[in-house]
Amino acid sequence: MPEEPYERDGAIAATGMGGAMDLATSEAATLEQSPSAASGGRAPGGPEGAGPQEKPRSLWSDAWRDLRRNPVFIISGLVILFLVVISLWPSLIASGNPLQCDLAKAQEGSQPGHPFGFDGQGCDVYTRTVYGTRVSISVGVCATLGVAVLGSVLGGLAGFFGGVWDSFLSRITDIFFAIPVVLGGLVLLSVVTSTTVWPVIGFMVLLGWPQISRIARGSVITIKQNDYVQAARALGASNLRLLLRHITPNAVAPVIVMATIALGTYISLEATLSYLGVGLKPPTVSWGIDISSASAYIRQAPHMLLWPAGALAITVLAFIMLGDAVRDALDPKLR
């Protein structure tokens, strides 16, 4: 059979569908060249004989990259950083004593050196507002850490082992969810005579861990069904290694998000309980105590209520905004 004439201007490649695909001579030659020949014996982006290699980013590196570009995270982070600094060193911006009062200046307005005026006892509202940051931040952080640790451990173990332990913990959490938080605080804290912050923190941990526990339980149940966990188990990994090495690093993100948002809630809860008279008690300096004392003079001296309530609102809003930004960065579904 005679050979088909060869087209010099193009190459014909037969396709599986019986058709033909025309390639220009230059394109065919380019396809025949290896990547090293096309780049002069060196693959782009790497050493000779090696292709471009980019280190894969983890969930945490991607989340940090997104957080740095999020203005909500930057603004809330700066506000929280400022609050933490003045809670640790309140004397940096307030040189007075929050317990030093002068009844002759009771309910007076702003004066030189006293920009927020005086409360009903003649105490400087500015100094008490600054020093109240320490108590609110301390209670919120300690309560959040206690709730996160206790809830994560109990929920994680229940989700990992399942069975009777999981059923028992689920019924316990149902009981705690049925207790109203404010009503529980009125009942449990009304018999406490201590003026320290620890009874309030203990109450928040007692009623706050079930929510974190359920989130940790659901996250662990989802993670333990993944292929890499099953492969590690098939290779003989112990339960402790599975929990610490493979499950916890991948299941902790929802707990972090929930704890960040809950921190602002606990600060607000402490102020609410102190306002009702069952939380922190004088001489402790607290925004809730100052708001409770100022509520009786809201018409005569509204500045007594405005400044501690405003500081409380800004603090809670900053932590909620931070939690929302962290949630958006750690949730793969929102990418």
Side-chain angles (χ1 to χ4, degrees), residues 121-181:
Q121 301 295 325
C123 303
D124 184 19
V125 176
Y126 172 76
T127 303
R128 290 186 64 86
T129 301
V130 172
Y131 276 83
T133 308
R134 170 180 294 177
V135 174
S136 298
I137 296 295
S138 301
V139 170
V141 171
C142 293
T144 302
L145 290 176
V147 167
V149 172
L150 181 61
S152 298
V153 171
L154 296 179
L157 294 177
F160 182 77
F161 292 105
V164 178
W165 170 250
D166 188 16
S167 301
F168 175 76
L169 183 67
S170 297
R171 301 295 76 79
I172 294 297
T173 55
D174 291 339
I175 294 174
F176 277 93
F177 273 122
I179 301 176
V181 176

Side-chain angles (χ1 to χ4, degrees), residues 12 57 81 85 121 140 151 157 162 172 217 243 259 278 310 319 328:
I12 300 178
R57 290 191 297 265
L81 179 62
V85 170
Q121 301 295 325
L157 294 177
I172 294 297
R217 171 185 174 273
L243 280 171
V278 296
F319 279 105
D328 296 342

Side-chain angles (χ1 to χ4, degrees), residues 1-309:
M1 173 178 284
E3 297 180 357
E4 295 292 337
Y6 178 71
E7 297 284 346
R8 297 189 58 185
D9 296 335
I12 300 178
T15 63
M17 300 300 295
M21 177 175 60
D22 294 335
L23 299 176
T25 306
S26 58
E27 295 177 357
T30 303
L31 291 176
E32 293 177 357
Q33 292 179 352
S34 63
S36 59
S39 59
R42 222 176 352 181
E48 183 175 356
Q53 295 180 355
E54 182 180 357
K55 184 179 180 180
R57 290 191 297 265
S58 63
L59 172 65
W60 302 104
S61 60
D62 282 343
W64 175 240
R65 184 190 60 179
D66 293 341
L67 287 175
R68 289 181 299 177
R69 301 176 180 178
N70 191 344
V72 174
F73 172 77
I74 296 175
I75 295 173
S76 60
L78 291 176
V79 173
I80 292 174
L81 179 62
F82 172 74
L83 293 173
V84 171
V85 170
I86 66 174
S87 66
L88 294 176
W89 302 284
S91 59
L92 291 177
I93 61 173
S95 57
N97 186 348
L99 300 178
Q100 183 178 358
C101 306
D102 185 0
L103 286 175
K105 298 181 179 180
Q107 303 183 27
E108 291 186 2
S110 176
Q111 297 180 5
H114 307 279
F116 293 174
F118 298 88
D119 63 6
Q121 301 295 325
C123 303
D124 184 19
V125 176
Y126 172 76
T127 303
R128 290 186 64 86
T129 301
V130 172
Y131 276 83
T133 308
R134 170 180 294 177
V135 174
S136 298
I137 296 295
S138 301
V139 170
V141 171
C142 293
T144 302
L145 290 176
V147 167
V149 172
L150 181 61
S152 298
V153 171
L154 296 179
L157 294 177
F160 182 77
F161 292 105
V164 178
W165 170 250
D166 188 16
S167 301
F168 175 76
L169 183 67
S170 297
R171 301 295 76 79
I172 294 297
T173 55
D174 291 339
I175 294 174
F176 277 93
F177 273 122
I179 301 176
V181 176
V182 177
L183 179 59
L186 289 173
V187 174
L188 296 178
L189 295 178
S190 60
V191 298
V192 177
T193 58
S194 175
T195 59
T196 63
V197 300
W198 297 112
V200 179
I201 294 174
F203 164 76
M204 293 181 181
V205 174
L206 179 63
L207 293 187
W209 69 266
Q211 189 173 15
I212 297 291
S213 176
R214 283 198 169 181
I215 293 176
R217 171 185 174 273
S219 182
V220 169
I221 290 176
T222 302
I223 296 299
K224 76 175 185 178
Q225 297 174 357
N226 290 337
D227 293 338
Y228 61 87
V229 177
Q230 301 300 327
R233 187 189 299 273
L235 292 174
S238 63
N239 290 334
L240 182 61
R241 181 176 178 83
L242 290 175
L243 280 171
L244 298 181
R245 185 69 180 272
H246 301 285
I247 294 180
T248 300
N250 296 285
V252 73
V255 176
I256 293 177
V257 173
M258 189 62 202
T260 306
I261 298 176
L263 201 156
T265 305
Y266 293 139
I267 293 176
S268 177
L269 178 60
E270 177 272 319
T272 302
L273 295 175
S274 299
Y275 177 84
L276 295 175
V278 296
L280 301 179
K281 299 175 178 62
T284 305
V285 180
S286 168
W287 291 335
I289 295 176
D290 290 348
I291 293 173
S292 178
S293 302
S295 61
Y297 307 97
I298 188 172
R299 294 185 178 180
Q300 296 87 348
H303 66 275
M304 295 170 49
L305 178 65
L306 175 64
W307 296 111

